[in-house]
Amino acid sequence: MRRTKDDTGLIQWLHCREDATVAEALIAHALTTLAPRPVEAFQFATALTQGL
């Protein structure tokens, strides 16, 4: 996803069932897809969202 006002890439959620290998692959794919723009990730993560 891209933020239209400044074209920054956004990674909002990551579903990987706590598997580090899957997380790394998903993040690498997102960074490759969103390149060369800056990317922000997990801006909405809070202690509350850990249980969801």
Side-chain angles (χ1 to χ4, degrees):
M1 166 183 253
R2 291 181 300 186
R3 186 169 46 218
T4 54
K5 72 177 181 179
D6 60 4
D7 202 38
T8 296
L10 301 171
I11 302 172
Q12 296 181 322
W13 294 95
L14 182 65
H15 298 281
C16 62
R17 297 185 184 242
E18 304 298 326
D19 184 324
T21 303
V22 174
E24 289 173 17
L26 290 171
I27 292 169
H29 176 72
L31 293 175
T32 299
T33 301
L34 293 167
R37 66 187 50 83
V39 176
E40 294 180 7
F42 317 117
Q43 293 290 322
F44 302 106
T46 67
L48 175 62
T49 60
Q50 289 180 353
L52 298 178

